Amino acid sequence: MYLNRIYKNFRLTISIISALLLFFIVTLKAGNTLTIFSVLLDLVAITLLFSLSVQIKEYIRINKISFLSLTFAVAVILGILLMSIWTAQMFMDNLVQKLNAEFSVFSFASNVVGIIYFCIFAFGLTFVFVVLKEFYYSKRIKYNPIYFQLLIFFGILSALSFTIFQEINKAVSTAFMVVTILLIVKNSFGISWIAFLNKKEKYKLLLISLAITVLASVLVGYSADVSLHSETLKSYSTGFNTIALLILIYSLVYFGVLFFTVLFHLPTAEAFDRKAEEVSSLHLFSTLINQVIDFDELADTITDLTRKVSSADASWIVMKNGNTYETISQKNISEKDITEINNYLLYSGECKNLTKAKICSIDKSSVKSKLSEHLSSVIISPLKTQTEVKGYLLAARKSGLLFYDDEAKAINAFSEYASIALENSRLLKESIEKERLEKELDVAREMQRKLLPANDPKFSELHISSIFIPAFEVGGDFFDYYTDKENEFSFIIGDVAGKGISAAFVMAEVKGIFESLSKILASPKEILVKANRILSRTLHCKNFVSALYGKINFITSEFEFARAGHCPALLIRNGEIIKYQPKGLALGLDYTESFSENLDDLKIKLQKNDTLIFYTDGITESKNQLNEDFGDERFLKTIKINLNKDINQIAREIISEVSIFANNSTQYDDITLLILRWNKN
Amino acid sequence: MAEFNTTLKEQGDISIIKLKGYLDAHTAPVLENKFNELINNNKYKIVVDFQDLAYISSAGLGVFMAYIEKVRENQGDIKLASMSDKVYNIFDLLGFPLLYEIFKTEEEAIRKFSE
């Protein structure tokens, strides 16, 4: 269990053991100046630094600490180290002498204080070093670890050489140190990560790096000098003192360079921020394309982002609506100013045939004085689909400066995205609308079907067969039977002009009118004349209704009918087809007396096996793929071929012929077919 | 979907609309716009030439009904000319010849206006 815990905290255990080792060796050494002790202490100190650095690095990685926070932490740590030095100077005057004195209670107590002091510096400087390493490896275009590895290598060499060769040849150690410092300088250039900070962060970094530079230079002073501080560290490890000095020099140089780099970057920080905004806006936009369903919301987002991308003061979108332009979204600009600028740029032909974003100065134009805001520069970019320009995206700026080319390019790219997004949104809206209309049509179709008789009535004297096939679009065909009167059967067949919901409503109204009139009036002509009069109150001038009202008297075998602009009645007698087309205007065409004067009533005495056929133009005007009509001729021919068959069979044959003729063409109009066969002598 | 278009010709104070293609519920608004345009310009003497019209549906016929009253109120008229037999039969079936003057040629219709 305990071993497992040690394994888990392996690095921490090493650090603690190293610190304890340092403590014991210094206690045992007790003033002894043997080199072997010094080398041993250096090696333990390096081990301590290494184990600490691994832990700190891991901590930074796991917590994903930002670079700005790390820089701040470095400043704080350097501050703490400086405070430690000052505190040590105040209270620990005899520390070094006692540390290096013979073993005693005093030297032991000093050693306890000394090791804590040493550990603070070991931790602090390791932290600084790890941060510098992170900075070195971060966001480099070329990954080249060799210089940093060389730096560590020469750093350790100079540390050890000071211990080993200090007495023999100081020049070797100095040479190593010089090489290390040269590598430090080399590694301190090429700081690329600051480019990714925004303007505000750069200002903060400027202050922090200045503070670090000052702190590091003071600390370098303490470390390089023969002071209580450096002597204390040297008592534990001469090498560590050298490493500490090198790390402080590294941070001094690095943050010094950083300070100047940030200083030079500041003027371009705003531009960089804008570019970053552009990139993130474009990214945001590309995701928006597939997300935004609401057209107005999308237009608003586009205008908003446009303003941000181009650092414009105002932006708006206009869409073509016939020959005019309609503003669909605007930000920070009045309708009056939009109209003035549109008039100047769009209606004057200034931006005719625009294929990409254009920068226009309105500073010296006449329009400038008419504006309520002091706008002086406008970017106009077309919103185009594959085939046409649907509108324009515009952005305006108040300052006297014109927009730059790169801003125009950004707006251009932006408007291309915007066109796609707006088009997608429009198509989506259309398809939702279409779906809604289709549902409404379904309801209307169902309504139409319910208004028609569900079954054909049955009489011994008369056989009746009917077929109704609705078109894809709801139409206005109707038929109905009236069987209330004794010894009499009446029917109506008709067609309302036009299609869609309005035709379906008229049809429902007409059906109601005929149902009432059939109860109170006897003559087909009278019924049609009265129906026309009633319709004059409600029917729109471009609507009309063709209808044929028929009545069969079972006693007298008489068929009487009148036709108001409807397809003729067909009588099949003894193998011959007789067409009856008495005079008659469609309902709704004329509300004067002339309607009645031009409506003929016709009476036919029926004979056994007489077949009467009534139909709507949906049959004769059925189209094939070549747009040809089924026509009267084919219709009559089909009847002729099948006239000896049962009436249900005849109806089926007619519909089958029409279907074969139309093949896969859309059925544009309702088809209604009504066949009656007289069965009485 | 079948095509439909109109061309407008002016001869003195008479406007001649030539129809071409298929006039049905979907294409009727094109003709409606034409009539609106003429009426807005106070042109009430209208000849409609059917020579190139292949088909007319009831919705197409409705367009003529929609404007005839307004045109006649302003001492004008809509005269129809050059119909194919097929188109004439549709007009005839509904009784339109009682309401409109239908001529064999466009010239006859124009001449009728000047009488």
Side-chain angles (χ1 to χ4, degrees), chain A residues 293-323:
Chain A
I293 292 169
D294 187 88
F295 187 84
D296 297 333
E297 192 188 317
L298 177 70
D300 266 359
T301 314
I302 294 167
T303 21
D304 221 16
L305 289 178
T306 304
R307 215 161 51 85
K308 282 186 190 162
V309 164
S310 58
S311 313
D313 295 299
S315 63
W316 66 103
I317 293 177
V318 292
M319 295 301 262
K320 259 188 190 167
N321 186 5
N323 291 325

mmCIF file of all heavy atoms in Angstrom, chain A residues 293-323:
data_model
loop_
_atom_site.group_PDB
_atom_site.id
_atom_site.type_symbol
_atom_site.label_atom_id
_atom_site.label_comp_id
_atom_site.label_asym_id
_atom_site.label_seq_id
_atom_site.Cartn_x
_atom_site.Cartn_y
_atom_site.Cartn_z
ATOM 1 N N ILE A 293 -32.205 29.147 -39.133
ATOM 2 C CA ILE A 293 -33.416 28.838 -39.888
ATOM 3 C C ILE A 293 -34.177 30.120 -40.163
ATOM 4 O O ILE A 293 -34.705 30.327 -41.233
ATOM 5 C CB ILE A 293 -34.283 27.842 -39.093
ATOM 6 C CG1 ILE A 293 -33.544 26.503 -39.034
ATOM 7 C CG2 ILE A 293 -35.653 27.680 -39.716
ATOM 8 C CD1 ILE A 293 -34.130 25.508 -38.097
ATOM 9 N N ASP A 294 -34.156 31.017 -39.194
ATOM 10 C CA ASP A 294 -34.920 32.241 -39.341
ATOM 11 C C ASP A 294 -34.175 33.236 -40.239
ATOM 12 O O ASP A 294 -33.047 33.623 -39.944
ATOM 13 C CB ASP A 294 -35.149 32.844 -37.956
ATOM 14 C CG ASP A 294 -36.083 34.019 -38.033
ATOM 15 O OD1 ASP A 294 -37.281 33.775 -37.942
ATOM 16 O OD2 ASP A 294 -35.603 35.154 -38.212
ATOM 17 N N PHE A 295 -34.813 33.642 -41.309
ATOM 18 C CA PHE A 295 -34.191 34.519 -42.303
ATOM 19 C C PHE A 295 -33.791 35.865 -41.696
ATOM 20 O O PHE A 295 -32.677 36.340 -41.904
ATOM 21 C CB PHE A 295 -35.175 34.721 -43.468
ATOM 22 C CG PHE A 295 -34.593 35.472 -44.621
ATOM 23 C CD1 PHE A 295 -33.856 34.824 -45.589
ATOM 24 C CD2 PHE A 295 -34.783 36.839 -44.739
ATOM 25 C CE1 PHE A 295 -33.312 35.520 -46.648
ATOM 26 C CE2 PHE A 295 -34.236 37.547 -45.799
ATOM 27 C CZ PHE A 295 -33.501 36.878 -46.757
ATOM 28 N N ASP A 296 -34.690 36.470 -40.918
ATOM 29 C CA ASP A 296 -34.419 37.796 -40.349
ATOM 30 C C ASP A 296 -33.273 37.736 -39.338
ATOM 31 O O ASP A 296 -32.426 38.619 -39.293
ATOM 32 C CB ASP A 296 -35.673 38.357 -39.676
ATOM 33 C CG ASP A 296 -36.775 38.556 -40.690
ATOM 34 O OD1 ASP A 296 -36.435 38.769 -41.878
ATOM 35 O OD2 ASP A 296 -37.954 38.481 -40.319
ATOM 36 N N GLU A 297 -33.276 36.669 -38.557
ATOM 37 C CA GLU A 297 -32.219 36.503 -37.555
ATOM 38 C C GLU A 297 -30.871 36.361 -38.256
ATOM 39 O O GLU A 297 -29.869 36.950 -37.845
ATOM 40 C CB GLU A 297 -32.526 35.238 -36.754
ATOM 41 C CG GLU A 297 -31.700 35.080 -35.506
ATOM 42 C CD GLU A 297 -31.925 33.724 -34.865
ATOM 43 O OE1 GLU A 297 -33.097 33.291 -34.793
ATOM 44 O OE2 GLU A 297 -30.942 33.092 -34.489
ATOM 45 N N LEU A 298 -30.875 35.609 -39.334
ATOM 46 C CA LEU A 298 -29.645 35.402 -40.101
ATOM 47 C C LEU A 298 -29.154 36.733 -40.681
ATOM 48 O O LEU A 298 -27.969 37.071 -40.578
ATOM 49 C CB LEU A 298 -29.898 34.391 -41.229
ATOM 50 C CG LEU A 298 -28.720 34.134 -42.145
ATOM 51 C CD1 LEU A 298 -27.633 33.365 -41.409
ATOM 52 C CD2 LEU A 298 -29.146 33.347 -43.367
ATOM 53 N N ALA A 299 -30.076 37.500 -41.271
ATOM 54 C CA ALA A 299 -29.709 38.789 -41.857
ATOM 55 C C ALA A 299 -29.111 39.709 -40.792
ATOM 56 O O ALA A 299 -28.120 40.399 -41.039
ATOM 57 C CB ALA A 299 -30.939 39.428 -42.486
ATOM 58 N N ASP A 300 -29.688 39.672 -39.596
ATOM 59 C CA ASP A 300 -29.186 40.491 -38.487
ATOM 60 C C ASP A 300 -27.771 40.067 -38.097
ATOM 61 O O ASP A 300 -26.906 40.912 -37.861
ATOM 62 C CB ASP A 300 -30.107 40.347 -37.273
ATOM 63 C CG ASP A 300 -31.147 41.440 -37.245
ATOM 64 O OD1 ASP A 300 -31.099 42.288 -38.157
ATOM 65 O OD2 ASP A 300 -31.996 41.435 -36.347
ATOM 66 N N THR A 301 -27.557 38.761 -38.027
ATOM 67 C CA THR A 301 -26.228 38.256 -37.671
ATOM 68 C C THR A 301 -25.214 38.685 -38.720
ATOM 69 O O THR A 301 -24.097 39.091 -38.386
ATOM 70 C CB THR A 301 -26.251 36.707 -37.583
ATOM 71 O OG1 THR A 301 -27.392 36.331 -36.854
ATOM 72 C CG2 THR A 301 -25.007 36.174 -36.938
ATOM 73 N N ILE A 302 -25.595 38.609 -39.973
ATOM 74 C CA ILE A 302 -24.674 38.978 -41.052
ATOM 75 C C ILE A 302 -24.279 40.458 -40.945
ATOM 76 O O ILE A 302 -23.105 40.800 -40.996
ATOM 77 C CB ILE A 302 -25.298 38.687 -42.440
ATOM 78 C CG1 ILE A 302 -25.469 37.182 -42.622
ATOM 79 C CG2 ILE A 302 -24.427 39.258 -43.560
ATOM 80 C CD1 ILE A 302 -26.337 36.801 -43.792
ATOM 81 N N THR A 303 -25.259 41.313 -40.735
ATOM 82 C CA THR A 303 -24.944 42.754 -40.651
ATOM 83 C C THR A 303 -24.049 43.033 -39.443
ATOM 84 O O THR A 303 -23.114 43.825 -39.522
ATOM 85 C CB THR A 303 -26.221 43.618 -40.528
ATOM 86 O OG1 THR A 303 -27.272 42.807 -40.058
ATOM 87 C CG2 THR A 303 -26.613 44.237 -41.813
ATOM 88 N N ASP A 304 -24.342 42.348 -38.353
ATOM 89 C CA ASP A 304 -23.558 42.532 -37.144
ATOM 90 C C ASP A 304 -22.105 42.099 -37.354
ATOM 91 O O ASP A 304 -21.167 42.836 -37.027
ATOM 92 C CB ASP A 304 -24.191 41.692 -36.027
ATOM 93 C CG ASP A 304 -24.200 42.440 -34.723
ATOM 94 O OD1 ASP A 304 -23.999 43.666 -34.774
ATOM 95 O OD2 ASP A 304 -24.377 41.804 -33.674
ATOM 96 N N LEU A 305 -21.938 40.917 -37.910
ATOM 97 C CA LEU A 305 -20.587 40.394 -38.134
ATOM 98 C C LEU A 305 -19.837 41.240 -39.163
ATOM 99 O O LEU A 305 -18.633 41.446 -39.041
ATOM 100 C CB LEU A 305 -20.653 38.938 -38.592
ATOM 101 C CG LEU A 305 -21.074 37.905 -37.529
ATOM 102 C CD1 LEU A 305 -21.152 36.518 -38.122
ATOM 103 C CD2 LEU A 305 -20.098 37.885 -36.362
ATOM 104 N N THR A 306 -20.550 41.726 -40.148
ATOM 105 C CA THR A 306 -19.925 42.561 -41.179
ATOM 106 C C THR A 306 -19.279 43.791 -40.536
ATOM 107 O O THR A 306 -18.166 44.181 -40.857
ATOM 108 C CB THR A 306 -20.975 43.026 -42.208
ATOM 109 O OG1 THR A 306 -21.593 41.873 -42.723
ATOM 110 C CG2 THR A 306 -20.353 43.836 -43.322
ATOM 111 N N ARG A 307 -20.019 44.375 -39.617
ATOM 112 C CA ARG A 307 -19.537 45.582 -38.937
ATOM 113 C C ARG A 307 -18.260 45.259 -38.158
ATOM 114 O O ARG A 307 -17.296 46.001 -38.177
ATOM 115 C CB ARG A 307 -20.623 46.082 -37.994
ATOM 116 C CG ARG A 307 -20.705 47.584 -37.857
ATOM 117 C CD ARG A 307 -22.042 47.984 -37.313
ATOM 118 N NE ARG A 307 -22.376 47.244 -36.111
ATOM 119 C CZ ARG A 307 -21.982 47.575 -34.879
ATOM 120 N NH1 ARG A 307 -21.227 48.642 -34.686
ATOM 121 N NH2 ARG A 307 -22.344 46.857 -33.841
ATOM 122 N N LYS A 308 -18.257 44.112 -37.508
ATOM 123 C CA LYS A 308 -17.086 43.719 -36.714
ATOM 124 C C LYS A 308 -15.895 43.422 -37.612
ATOM 125 O O LYS A 308 -14.778 43.861 -37.367
ATOM 126 C CB LYS A 308 -17.423 42.474 -35.881
ATOM 127 C CG LYS A 308 -18.237 42.784 -34.656
ATOM 128 C CD LYS A 308 -18.390 41.529 -33.814
ATOM 129 C CE LYS A 308 -19.400 41.754 -32.716
ATOM 130 N NZ LYS A 308 -19.877 40.478 -32.167
ATOM 131 N N VAL A 309 -16.141 42.658 -38.659
ATOM 132 C CA VAL A 309 -15.070 42.230 -39.555
ATOM 133 C C VAL A 309 -14.365 43.417 -40.185
ATOM 134 O O VAL A 309 -13.148 43.439 -40.309
ATOM 135 C CB VAL A 309 -15.652 41.300 -40.653
ATOM 136 C CG1 VAL A 309 -14.688 41.144 -41.802
ATOM 137 C CG2 VAL A 309 -15.970 39.953 -40.059
ATOM 138 N N SER A 310 -15.148 44.421 -40.575
ATOM 139 C CA SER A 310 -14.535 45.514 -41.328
ATOM 140 C C SER A 310 -14.306 46.752 -40.468
ATOM 141 O O SER A 310 -13.949 47.801 -40.996
ATOM 142 C CB SER A 310 -15.438 45.859 -42.510
ATOM 143 O OG SER A 310 -16.705 46.217 -42.021
ATOM 144 N N SER A 311 -14.507 46.620 -39.165
ATOM 145 C CA SER A 311 -14.420 47.764 -38.249
ATOM 146 C C SER A 311 -15.224 48.941 -38.799
ATOM 147 O O SER A 311 -14.779 50.081 -38.769
ATOM 148 C CB SER A 311 -12.983 48.225 -38.048
ATOM 149 O OG SER A 311 -12.160 47.168 -37.801
ATOM 150 N N ALA A 312 -16.391 48.624 -39.321
ATOM 151 C CA ALA A 312 -17.223 49.689 -39.890
ATOM 152 C C ALA A 312 -18.116 50.257 -38.799
ATOM 153 O O ALA A 312 -18.337 49.621 -37.770
ATOM 154 C CB ALA A 312 -18.067 49.131 -41.016
ATOM 155 N N ASP A 313 -18.624 51.460 -39.030
ATOM 156 C CA ASP A 313 -19.520 52.067 -38.054
ATOM 157 C C ASP A 313 -20.963 51.644 -38.294
ATOM 158 O O ASP A 313 -21.771 51.650 -37.378
ATOM 159 C CB ASP A 313 -19.406 53.596 -38.120
ATOM 160 C CG ASP A 313 -18.020 54.056 -37.700
ATOM 161 O OD1 ASP A 313 -17.660 53.782 -36.547
ATOM 162 O OD2 ASP A 313 -17.292 54.632 -38.524
ATOM 163 N N ALA A 314 -21.264 51.328 -39.546
ATOM 164 C CA ALA A 314 -22.640 50.927 -39.860
ATOM 165 C C ALA A 314 -22.614 49.857 -40.934
ATOM 166 O O ALA A 314 -21.659 49.775 -41.712
ATOM 167 C CB ALA A 314 -23.425 52.129 -40.359
ATOM 168 N N SER A 315 -23.646 49.041 -40.944
ATOM 169 C CA SER A 315 -23.762 48.062 -42.027
ATOM 170 C C SER A 315 -25.227 47.744 -42.257
ATOM 171 O O SER A 315 -26.053 47.894 -41.361
ATOM 172 C CB SER A 315 -22.978 46.798 -41.690
ATOM 173 O OG SER A 315 -23.527 46.208 -40.546
ATOM 174 N N TRP A 316 -25.541 47.330 -43.469
ATOM 175 C CA TRP A 316 -26.930 46.985 -43.796
ATOM 176 C C TRP A 316 -26.974 46.055 -45.008
ATOM 177 O O TRP A 316 -25.996 45.941 -45.752
ATOM 178 C CB TRP A 316 -27.780 48.229 -44.006
ATOM 179 C CG TRP A 316 -27.459 49.105 -45.175
ATOM 180 C CD1 TRP A 316 -28.124 49.179 -46.356
ATOM 181 C CD2 TRP A 316 -26.389 50.079 -45.272
ATOM 182 N NE1 TRP A 316 -27.553 50.117 -47.177
ATOM 183 C CE2 TRP A 316 -26.485 50.682 -46.547
ATOM 184 C CE3 TRP A 316 -25.371 50.482 -44.414
ATOM 185 C CZ2 TRP A 316 -25.599 51.666 -46.985
ATOM 186 C CZ3 TRP A 316 -24.487 51.461 -44.853
ATOM 187 C CH2 TRP A 316 -24.614 52.038 -46.109
ATOM 188 N N ILE A 317 -28.126 45.401 -45.165
ATOM 189 C CA ILE A 317 -28.317 44.489 -46.303
ATOM 190 C C ILE A 317 -29.551 44.948 -47.073
ATOM 191 O O ILE A 317 -30.589 45.238 -46.474
ATOM 192 C CB ILE A 317 -28.550 43.037 -45.834
ATOM 193 C CG1 ILE A 317 -27.284 42.476 -45.175
ATOM 194 C CG2 ILE A 317 -28.957 42.139 -46.998
ATOM 195 C CD1 ILE A 317 -27.464 41.074 -44.636
ATOM 196 N N VAL A 318 -29.405 45.049 -48.391
ATOM 197 C CA VAL A 318 -30.590 45.336 -49.209
ATOM 198 C C VAL A 318 -30.811 44.162 -50.155
ATOM 199 O O VAL A 318 -29.852 43.564 -50.643
ATOM 200 C CB VAL A 318 -30.470 46.647 -50.017
ATOM 201 C CG1 VAL A 318 -30.477 47.843 -49.107
ATOM 202 C CG2 VAL A 318 -29.229 46.653 -50.890
ATOM 203 N N MET A 319 -32.066 43.813 -50.372
ATOM 204 C CA MET A 319 -32.381 42.735 -51.306
ATOM 205 C C MET A 319 -33.239 43.305 -52.429
ATOM 206 O O MET A 319 -34.057 44.200 -52.208
ATOM 207 C CB MET A 319 -33.164 41.616 -50.601
ATOM 208 C CG MET A 319 -32.384 40.904 -49.523
ATOM 209 S SD MET A 319 -30.862 40.134 -50.086
ATOM 210 C CE MET A 319 -31.369 38.474 -50.308
ATOM 211 N N LYS A 320 -33.040 42.753 -53.613
ATOM 212 C CA LYS A 320 -33.805 43.205 -54.774
ATOM 213 C C LYS A 320 -35.262 42.802 -54.620
ATOM 214 O O LYS A 320 -35.550 41.676 -54.224
ATOM 215 C CB LYS A 320 -33.252 42.544 -56.033
ATOM 216 C CG LYS A 320 -32.363 43.434 -56.832
ATOM 217 C CD LYS A 320 -32.017 42.779 -58.133
ATOM 218 C CE LYS A 320 -30.939 43.575 -58.826
ATOM 219 N NZ LYS A 320 -30.358 42.849 -59.926
ATOM 220 N N ASN A 321 -36.129 43.736 -54.924
ATOM 221 C CA ASN A 321 -37.550 43.418 -54.935
ATOM 222 C C ASN A 321 -38.111 44.072 -56.186
ATOM 223 O O ASN A 321 -38.497 45.229 -56.183
ATOM 224 C CB ASN A 321 -38.197 43.964 -53.655
ATOM 225 C CG ASN A 321 -39.640 43.557 -53.532
ATOM 226 O OD1 ASN A 321 -40.136 42.793 -54.360
ATOM 227 N ND2 ASN A 321 -40.317 44.061 -52.527
ATOM 228 N N GLY A 322 -38.096 43.341 -57.271
ATOM 229 C CA GLY A 322 -38.459 43.914 -58.567
ATOM 230 C C GLY A 322 -37.385 44.881 -58.998
ATOM 231 O O GLY A 322 -36.206 44.522 -59.063
ATOM 232 N N ASN A 323 -37.778 46.134 -59.209
ATOM 233 C CA ASN A 323 -36.785 47.135 -59.627
ATOM 234 C C ASN A 323 -36.274 47.952 -58.445
ATOM 235 O O ASN A 323 -35.473 48.870 -58.618
ATOM 236 C CB ASN A 323 -37.400 48.082 -60.668
ATOM 237 C CG ASN A 323 -37.643 47.352 -61.966
ATOM 238 O OD1 ASN A 323 -36.875 46.469 -62.344
ATOM 239 N ND2 ASN A 323 -38.744 47.688 -62.628
#
